[in-house]
Amino acid sequence: MNDLGDISDPDELSTISPKRKNPKGKPSKNLYKDILMKSPDIKYEDLVTNLSKALGLGRETISKTIAEYRRTNTVTSPNKKRVKSSLFDKIDDLDRNGLRQKVHLFWLRRELPTIDKILIAVNEDPSLPNFKRSTLYSTIKKLDFVFEKSKRCSVLTEREDLIVWRRNYLYNIRKYRQEGQQIYYLDETWLNTGDCVDRVWKDNTVLSKHDAFNKGLTTGSTNPTGKGKRLIILHIGSDKGFLPEWFEAILPRLEPNAIIVMDNAPYHSVKLEKYPSTRWNEAQLSEWLQSKGVILDRPFLKHELMAKVREIPRNKSYVIDKIAEDAGHTVLRLPPYHCEFNPIELAWAMVKGYVKRENTTFKIYDVRQLLHTTIEKVTSENWQNFIKHVIEEEEKIWKVDDIMDELIETLCFNNNGRH
């Protein structure tokens, strides 16, 4: 099959079975036979090219299919179902945060939120997507909101562990500020080379694009149809501005005993220790258990070993936390779905807005240069304003939690008191 010379010889051609009507999803078999019958001397490379163009499949897929057919005299068609993405997958973190804030606003007004009330508030906001009731309900649930029920009391609130995480974060960040510890905020974002701001210029003397063409006018450079290459941006900053390098290289440059705020992205959450799974064999499980001081005084089945593994508390320490700790710093992790607690998000909005306004070439080198220029334009004064805004958001959420706790307690007490 890998020979790029003639694909077949007379003996091989004589064994090609006649065409049959294929079941749905298997058109390649007949086309393969057609090409070989019409062009018995076709080279393998040309055959793959012709099949690829005709079927709209990649060359690698075609090569694997030919190899399978010549080996088994049949072609299997993987029954792949298209996974339909939900609206939750399509909206970004800012939209998700916007939905959460809509719910919180009801609590701030000391009003119990319901799906119907939230639906009206969200669909009236032009900055948020429009939802159907069922879609909003499923999205709200994915944001870890739950209906807390107690007899006849049913209230839309948030998952208990998320509330506890948020409360602990707010308590700790307040404490660190009061102690005068330097706080740095770490985050990442991305920027497409095709990103730009759509500009609209209105001239009443120009009636249409065709009229503009006839007058020798242009409406400006055309935006690219695709997004192009993407730059991934990682950075860290404080009330003194952005810092110029990255994590391990930058740790010595931080002020002593600093606090580093970051989210829970997978690359921030690599565990220090790999926890056993059912994919481990008995020897690996036994070795791990013995390293934890477990005495194995007889042969154990894999199920028995896994049961012993589950008795040992998981080590929740992360690699990046340990690196920071070894350098004398502390990592403070943001609660999920709370990007408004990170002032670097406002810095990213400023940076990306400038790049989009100035991006005219859509070339990665030029976009990278714009990016560096813009980051230098974000001053310590900007950062101080970003942090001030975040502190206001923190105070608001602290108040939301207090009100939510009070109203739920009162409502449930009143309902229980009726009996």
Side-chain angles (χ1 to χ4, degrees):
M1 186 194 74
N2 294 325
D3 182 13
L4 297 183
D6 292 348
I7 188 65
S8 56
D9 55 40
D11 291 335
E12 183 181 356
L13 281 173
S14 64
T15 61
I16 295 177
S17 59
K19 290 192 302 178
R20 295 181 183 177
K21 185 174 181 180
N22 282 315
K24 185 177 179 181
K26 295 185 181 180
S28 56
K29 191 172 175 182
N30 276 348
L31 187 56
Y32 171 75
K33 293 176 181 179
D34 274 340
I35 293 174
L36 285 186
M37 293 299 294
K38 293 175 181 177
S39 306
D41 296 328
I42 190 171
K43 294 182 179 297
Y44 176 76
E45 185 176 345
D46 294 334
L47 174 68
V48 172
T49 300
N50 291 346
L51 286 170
S52 177
K53 288 180 179 179
L55 299 172
L57 300 174
R59 293 176 59 86
E60 185 177 353
T61 302
I62 295 296
S63 296
K64 288 180 179 178
T65 305
I66 291 175
E68 178 189 11
Y69 178 66
R70 296 181 69 184
R71 185 177 64 254
T72 64
N73 202 33
T74 186
V75 175
T76 59
S77 178
N79 190 20
K80 294 182 179 179
K81 293 184 179 179
R82 184 178 177 183
V83 179
K84 186 179 180 180
S85 59
S86 65
L87 182 57
F88 182 83
D89 299 318
K90 295 176 182 177
I91 62 177
D92 59 20
D93 288 340
L94 291 177
D95 286 334
R96 294 171 188 173
N97 185 54
L99 291 174
R100 185 172 296 279
Q101 289 179 334
K102 288 294 181 187
V103 178
H104 290 165
L105 282 174
F106 282 97
W107 289 111
L108 280 173
R109 296 196 297 263
R110 307 184 72 84
E111 182 180 350
L112 296 178
T114 65
I115 287 295
D116 291 327
K117 291 178 183 178
I118 298 166
L119 180 66
I120 294 171
V122 168
N123 287 344
E124 286 179 348
D125 189 336
S127 68
L128 291 173
N130 274 352
F131 287 85
K132 293 181 180 178
R133 190 180 188 279
S134 58
T135 309
L136 179 64
Y137 179 78
S138 63
T139 302
I140 287 291
K141 287 182 66 177
K142 289 180 180 178
L143 288 172
D144 289 336
F145 282 96
V146 294
F147 280 98
E148 186 172 299
K149 297 182 180 180
S150 176
K151 294 187 178 179
R152 288 183 293 177
C153 170
S154 180
V155 180
L156 181 64
T157 180
E158 290 169 279
R159 220 175 57 200
E160 183 181 89
D161 60 318
L162 179 58
I163 295 174
V164 171
W165 187 336
R166 180 170 67 213
R167 198 71 170 184
N168 286 336
Y169 172 84
L170 293 174
Y171 174 82
N172 286 322
I173 198 77
R174 281 178 166 185
K175 177 171 71 75
Y176 292 139
R177 289 197 188 107
Q178 290 169 357
E179 293 171 353
Q181 290 185 258
Q182 183 64 58
I183 301 173
Y184 296 91
Y185 299 89
L186 182 152
D187 194 29
E188 64 289 320
T189 189
W190 51 265
L191 189 64
N192 285 316
T193 57
D195 281 343
C196 57
V197 174
D198 291 329
R199 296 178 174 85
V200 179
W201 175 59
K202 184 176 181 181
D203 183 344
N204 292 331
T205 65
V206 179
L207 304 178
S208 65
K209 290 183 178 180
H210 182 69
D211 187 33
F213 175 77
N214 289 336
K215 293 179 179 179
L217 301 176
T218 176
T219 55
S221 57
T222 304
N223 294 352
T225 54
K227 288 293 184 181
K229 295 181 179 179
R230 173 177 287 189
L231 291 172
I232 305 297
I233 313 160
L234 305 171
H235 228 310
I236 184 171
S238 69
D239 57 354
K240 298 177 181 178
F242 274 118
L243 295 178
E245 294 183 34
W246 190 232
F247 201 67
E248 286 185 279
I250 208 171
L251 287 178
R253 304 177 61 136
L254 303 184
E255 292 192 16
N257 206 22
I259 308 302
I260 304 170
V261 174
M262 67 174 69
D263 63 17
N264 303 281
Y267 36 86
H268 296 162
S269 305
V270 178
K271 297 286 183 65
L272 269 174
E273 181 181 20
K274 191 173 182 181
Y275 197 78
S277 70
T278 53
R279 291 190 296 271
W280 288 29
N281 59 38
E282 291 180 13
Q284 291 171 314
L285 292 170
S286 298
E287 183 181 353
W288 186 86
L289 286 167
Q290 288 169 341
S291 74
K292 298 297 180 183
V294 178
I295 298 174
L296 302 176
D297 53 359
R298 61 175 177 81
F300 285 84
L301 298 173
K302 185 173 181 178
H303 288 294
E304 293 178 297
L305 294 172
M306 282 303 302
K308 288 186 174 293
V309 165
R310 285 189 284 271
E311 293 173 2
I312 299 175
R314 286 177 178 261
N315 184 347
K316 296 184 179 180
S317 300
Y318 301 106
V319 172
I320 200 167
D321 296 47
K322 186 64 167 60
I323 293 172
E325 182 185 341
D326 290 345
H329 306 301
T330 302
V331 169
L332 180 62
R333 291 178 175 266
L334 289 159
Y337 313 117
H338 285 290
C339 59
E340 77 272 23
F341 290 170
N342 196 341
I344 202 172
E345 296 286 353
L346 299 172
W348 288 146
M350 180 177 173
V351 168
K352 294 169 83 169
Y354 177 86
V355 172
K356 288 181 179 182
R357 287 192 300 273
E358 301 300 321
N359 185 13
T360 56
T361 66
F362 316 115
K363 294 179 180 177
I364 193 164
Y365 174 81
D366 295 332
V367 172
R368 186 182 287 114
Q369 292 302 112
L370 276 174
L371 179 63
H372 290 309
T373 300
T374 312
I375 286 176
E376 292 173 1
K377 289 179 179 289
V378 182
T379 65
S380 59
E381 288 78 16
N382 293 135
W383 266 95
Q384 289 162 20
N385 288 332
F386 299 154
I387 292 171
K388 181 181 177 182
H389 174 79
V390 163
I391 291 174
E392 291 172 358
E393 291 297 315
E394 292 171 358
E395 294 298 325
K396 188 188 298 180
I397 296 300
W398 185 272
K399 189 176 179 181
V400 164
D401 287 336
D402 284 342
I403 293 173
M404 187 161 50
D405 187 67
E406 176 194 340
L407 290 184
I408 291 174
E409 183 72 17
T410 302
L411 181 63
C412 291
F413 176 79
N414 289 341
N415 278 319
N416 292 335
R418 292 172 183 170
H419 297 280

